[in-house]
Amino acid sequence: MTHTLTPSPMASSSLRLAGIERARRAVMQDHTAPSAGWIEPWIERSWQRCMNLGLQAHQPVAFDLVSAQQMRHTQDANQRLVQTAKPILEKLGRAIVNTRYFAILTNTEGVVVDVSGAIDHSDRRASLITRIGADLSERSVGTTAIGAALTELQPVWLHRGEHFFASTSMYSCAGAPLFGPDGACVGMLDLTGIDAVERPELKHLVTQSACKIENALVLAQAHSLMVRLNWPGNALGSEADGIVCLDADGWITGANQIARQMVPNLAMPGRQKVHVSDVFGVPYQMLFDAVRRPDATLEIPLWTGLRLQALPIERSREDIPLRAERRSQASDGLPLKDIETALIRKAVDQARGNVAQAARALGISRATVYRKLGSHNHSASKD
């Protein structure tokens, strides 16, 4: 019988570092594309950006602090981010306490605004990068998880020589961007180790922690109702939920990134606020009314034709854990027939009584509109 030999962890690590070194030579010396598998494409893009800035891989890195004026502005501008993230960073610190990794929180410019975890301040390599106000942007310190996450707007992991500068090749780091209630990037969360064992699984941990911070930022906005969202068949009440918050008139005050992936038409940075009735195919009052029932879970249509589970929760009850039986019930509350009727009635109202126009907007026949709304709607315009 033939046995396949599995490389030892030490051999795998050596092969990984050798591949990184070959990629560095290809990109930085030979100015050619590295072979597939040596590094991730985003790392090569970051190296290229660094070289376009005139940076040299062997030049020293200063790890400068921003000016006193910039420091004051940064602290003022990021006060809510720091306060909201602090309890999450403390729990994250417990998760990584025995790994020789620590957490760094930055603003959108890559400036450190908070740190957490077991930081060895006697190690200059750690103390330099964990000073509040340290500029760890790509322009200042080259390729890191911080600069890459803020540029690529996606979670990243990089190890040793994947950093641009030779003097930063002792670091290994995972990073994830942070998005605010309006969908704009507000900073990033980084986990860094020094001469530490490579732990790419930290990319998952930092992504999950970033999601918690984003959810907390959404809930910190003034709102009257929080709505948890998930696809039918999935239990509501987990970190996999989309979250949308509404004011008393149904205007969306914030949404997390999961909700933005589920639901089109949510407001993007710089755009006007969106009303929830322009997102969900039900009157917004239905969401506020649902919280008065023992099971508030609804199945609601989107204007795309898809359906979501929705669990509206009053702000005063957001901190109460969901009961297991409440999470397991998909949509036993409001009958689907009533939701469909409300959706059709709203379309007719928006068409100012023009049933033909409403039917076209919904992709159904006029006969279906009449049947769903009842014979009293025959007085509506047919043109």
Side-chain angles (χ1 to χ4, degrees):
M1 180 171 19
T2 301
H3 296 278
T4 301
L5 296 177
T6 302
S8 68
M10 185 174 294
S12 297
S13 177
S14 297
L15 289 172
R16 168 104 161 96
L17 294 175
I20 294 172
E21 186 56 35
R22 286 195 293 269
R24 291 181 68 87
R25 286 198 300 267
V27 176
M28 299 181 190
Q29 297 177 22
D30 302 336
H31 303 290
T32 61
S35 296
W38 287 354
I39 58 170
E40 295 288 339
W42 61 263
I43 293 177
E44 182 188 357
R45 290 196 293 270
S46 177
W47 289 354
Q48 292 288 356
R49 288 194 298 270
C50 291
M51 291 188 291
N52 290 340
L53 289 170
L55 303 179
Q56 300 293 323
H58 292 285
Q59 72 186 63
V61 181
F63 298 105
D64 292 326
L65 293 174
V66 297
S67 68
Q69 182 179 359
Q70 287 177 296
M71 179 87 76
R72 287 192 296 271
H73 173 75
T74 298
Q75 289 177 323
D76 291 343
N78 293 276
Q79 187 174 21
R80 171 167 284 187
L81 172 62
V82 171
Q83 291 177 344
T84 304
K86 191 170 289 294
I88 298 164
L89 292 185
E90 289 174 355
K91 293 177 182 178
L92 175 59
R94 294 203 298 271
I96 60 176
V97 66
N98 295 318
T99 65
R100 297 176 60 198
Y101 282 79
F102 48 84
I104 299 174
L105 185 71
T106 85
N107 69 356
T108 55
E109 303 299 322
V111 176
V112 177
V113 294
D114 201 8
V115 296
S116 181
I119 302 168
D120 182 2
H121 291 287
S122 66
D123 186 338
R124 190 168 183 269
R125 300 171 301 177
S127 63
L128 282 173
I129 65 174
T130 54
R131 296 172 299 165
I132 305 302
D135 181 359
L136 303 184
S137 64
E138 191 173 78
R139 180 179 295 274
S140 295
V141 300
T143 303
T144 65
I146 293 170
L150 290 172
T151 302
E152 300 285 336
L153 296 180
Q154 66 179 25
V156 298
W157 165 262
L158 68 161
H159 183 54
R160 302 291 180 96
E162 290 177 324
H163 292 75
F164 179 77
F165 288 112
S167 58
T168 58
S169 63
M170 78 291 293
Y171 298 111
S172 298
C173 47
L178 297 168
F179 298 94
D182 66 349
C185 180
V186 295
M188 69 83 60
L189 178 61
D190 170 89
L191 298 178
T192 290
I194 301 173
D195 289 334
V197 175
E198 182 171 21
R199 297 186 183 276
E201 62 270 24
L202 291 180
K203 178 180 172 182
H204 178 269
L205 177 59
V206 78
T207 302
Q208 189 179 71
S209 299
C211 181
K212 291 179 180 179
I213 294 173
E214 291 172 355
N215 290 350
L217 288 170
V218 172
L219 295 177
Q221 295 285 100
H223 64 280
S224 298
L225 194 72
M226 181 259 278
V227 184
R228 286 185 170 272
L229 304 171
N230 217 317
W231 300 109
N234 294 332
L236 285 161
S238 74
E239 292 169 1
D241 289 348
I243 293 177
V244 173
C245 288
L246 316 177
D247 68 14
D249 296 318
W251 290 97
I252 295 175
T253 62
N256 67 359
Q257 283 301 103
I258 297 176
R260 293 178 186 281
Q261 293 167 15
M262 290 178 173
V263 182
N265 304 328
L266 290 174
M268 299 304 290
R271 297 186 185 177
Q272 292 182 342
K273 287 203 301 184
V274 171
H275 197 270
V276 71
S277 61
D278 295 324
V279 176
F280 302 148
V282 294
Y284 80 93
Q285 295 91 341
M286 188 176 293
L287 297 170
F288 285 85
D289 292 342
V291 298
R292 302 188 184 96
R293 300 200 315 269
D295 175 27
T297 308
L298 306 171
E299 185 173 288
I300 58 175
L302 304 179
W303 289 108
T304 58
L306 296 172
R307 294 182 181 276
L308 283 173
Q309 290 185 93
L311 178 58
I313 302 174
E314 291 177 312
R315 183 163 192 179
S316 61
R317 302 182 62 84
E318 288 172 358
D319 295 331
I320 301 174
L322 297 179
R323 299 191 305 273
E325 65 270 19
R326 184 182 185 183
R327 293 198 305 265
S328 65
Q329 295 172 351
S331 56
D332 297 332
L334 193 70
L336 182 58
K337 177 184 68 176
D338 292 349
I339 296 177
E340 290 176 337
T341 300
L343 173 61
I344 293 172
R345 190 179 303 281
K346 179 185 175 186
V348 172
D349 289 343
Q350 289 182 331
R352 298 182 180 180
N354 189 320
V355 173
Q357 181 179 330
R360 285 196 298 271
L362 294 170
I364 59 178
S365 67
R366 285 187 297 173
T368 300
V369 174
Y370 290 132
R371 186 174 68 253
K372 294 289 185 180
L373 296 185
S375 61
H376 65 278
N377 280 298
H378 279 277
S379 59
S381 171
K382 298 184 182 181
D383 299 325

